[in-house]
Amino acid sequence: MASSPPLQPTYSPSQISQYLTHLKIPSAHHHDSIQHLSPQEALCYLTLLQTHHLSQVPFENLTLHYSPHRQISLQPSTLFAKVVGDNNNRGGYCMENNALFGTLLRSLGFSVYSAGARVWSAGHWTGWSHMVNLVTIGGEKYHVDVGFGAEGPVVPMRLQRDGEGVLEKQVSPATAKLQWRGIPGTTDAEQRLWVYSYRRDAESELVMRYCFSEMEFLPGDYGVMNYHTSTSPKTFFTRTIVVEKKILREGELVGSLILGDRDAKRRVGGVKEKEIRFESEDERLKALEEWFGIRFGEAEREGIRGLASEIE
């Protein structure tokens, strides 16, 4: 007789409570299970969780630059300790943030699994390098992503095979769309994938950002993906520093804080309100603390020495 597959990891009720507190979810909306919620209530709660996650947990790759070891772990317990337990306002890149969030959703009783995605970059598709969560509520499947940065989705997006897709809200004036369609680069005209696209404002065109299938990816798949993404000198994440999180005001996402190699920007309503430039490592580290509340010790600061991302 074949042995049963291992259960997917979950967080304990106390960890769930700590996680929700970290996300600044109002205490009236702290649940340790969604089983008592109707499908519509569960969808609203999922939207609330996604909104707060995007505003409290940054999309960032700092471990690949400010670290003595530069190793990314996708273990749920390690991710929880880094983001929720460390009290240093850390986040992670796509596989970290979505693995962490997916574990929270599973712990709350959501029907959720993750899938791999290809990113559209410089006119071609990367290999499998991104992770998304797929959540089923009331018989409908939703695409949920808290790990793509400024142009990623901000609400659960229903998978609808019929039609051209529906424009969903992003951070105003931007919108986003999910379509079941063919993609450039394939030789089989019958191939279809889910394509997530982003539009900066009403006057702009939709731009493909990534595509994914509904096939469930397993931990071994992400082990391969994570190794390449975090170690290859050709990937975006090993060459460039990025930190981004959304600005939440009165329950709505209204803008973003974005820090890169040489500058930091605050955008609200599609308009840049503030920008600062860095001329030294000290200036960038100061901005990380002032804008994101992220502080590094001496060993982490020394980790960037000699890397292409260091400001010399």
Side-chain angles (χ1 to χ4, degrees), residues 117-126 130 143 145 148 151-153 157 164 167 175-186 191-200 204-212:
R118 303 182 182 116
V119 176
W120 183 250
S121 175
H124 68 275
W125 297 106
T126 66
H130 183 54
H143 155 243
D145 186 353
F148 196 71
E151 297 183 357
M157 301 179 73
E164 293 298 315
L167 280 175
T175 51
K177 181 181 281 192
L178 190 63
Q179 296 172 284
W180 177 247
R181 49 165 286 189
I183 62 170
T186 57
Q191 291 279 329
R192 294 289 184 273
L193 289 167
W194 292 104
V195 177
Y196 170 79
S197 300
Y198 169 86
R199 187 170 74 172
R200 185 175 58 188
S204 303
E205 294 184 358
L206 276 168
V207 178
M208 294 184 300
R209 300 306 291 122
Y210 59 78
C211 68
F212 61 93

Side-chain angles (χ1 to χ4, degrees), residues 19 83 106 121 168 175 194 216 226-227 248 260 305 309:
Y19 198 153
V83 176
R106 187 180 307 110
S121 175
E168 300 278 4
T175 51
W194 292 104
E216 181 173 6
N226 183 47
Y227 179 79
L248 181 65
R305 302 303 178 195
S309 53

Side-chain angles (χ1 to χ4, degrees), residues 17 26 35 50-51 85 100 123 142 150 256 262 284 287 306:
S17 178
Q35 299 306 315
Q50 184 176 8
T51 296
L100 178 75
Y142 295 86
S256 291
R262 292 278 184 169
R284 185 162 62 190

Side-chain angles (χ1 to χ4, degrees), residues 68-247:
H69 54 74
R70 294 194 285 277
Q71 294 178 349
I72 299 291
S73 172
L74 301 182
Q75 290 293 329
S77 59
T78 304
L79 292 172
F80 185 91
K82 175 186 177 183
V83 176
V84 180
D86 194 35
N87 196 32
N88 194 27
N89 301 298
R90 291 295 304 276
Y93 68 7
C94 67
M95 284 175 271
E96 294 177 277
N97 282 0
N98 279 320
L100 178 75
F101 191 54
T103 304
L104 172 66
L105 297 182
R106 187 180 307 110
S107 305
L108 287 167
F110 283 97
S111 174
V112 56
Y113 70 88
S114 65
R118 303 182 182 116
V119 176
W120 183 250
S121 175
H124 68 275
W125 297 106
T126 66
W128 301 111
S129 59
H130 183 54
M131 174 197 284
V132 300
N133 284 307
L134 298 176
V135 182
T136 300
I137 300 175
E140 299 284 357
K141 191 175 287 187
Y142 295 86
H143 155 243
V144 183
D145 186 353
V146 294
F148 196 71
E151 297 183 357
V154 301
V155 295
M157 301 179 73
R158 186 162 68 92
L159 275 58
Q160 305 175 71
R161 278 185 165 79
D162 298 330
E164 293 298 315
V166 177
L167 280 175
E168 300 278 4
K169 73 173 183 178
Q170 216 261 357
V171 177
S172 182
T175 51
K177 181 181 281 192
L178 190 63
Q179 296 172 284
W180 177 247
R181 49 165 286 189
I183 62 170
T186 57
T187 56
D188 181 359
E190 300 302 315
Q191 291 279 329
R192 294 289 184 273
L193 289 167
W194 292 104
V195 177
Y196 170 79
S197 300
Y198 169 86
R199 187 170 74 172
R200 185 175 58 188
D201 53 42
E203 286 71 46
S204 303
E205 294 184 358
L206 276 168
V207 178
M208 294 184 300
R209 300 306 291 122
Y210 59 78
C211 68
F212 61 93
S213 76
E214 292 177 58
M215 183 180 75
E216 181 173 6
F217 273 46
L218 302 178
D221 301 313
Y222 294 118
V224 174
M225 291 164 57
N226 183 47
Y227 179 79
H228 175 77
T229 304
S230 64
T231 63
S232 171
K234 295 183 178 181
T235 67
F236 168 83
F237 291 111
T238 60
R239 294 182 287 106
T240 302
I241 287 176
V242 59
V243 188
E244 187 272 348
K245 71 176 182 179
K246 302 292 188 291
I247 299 169

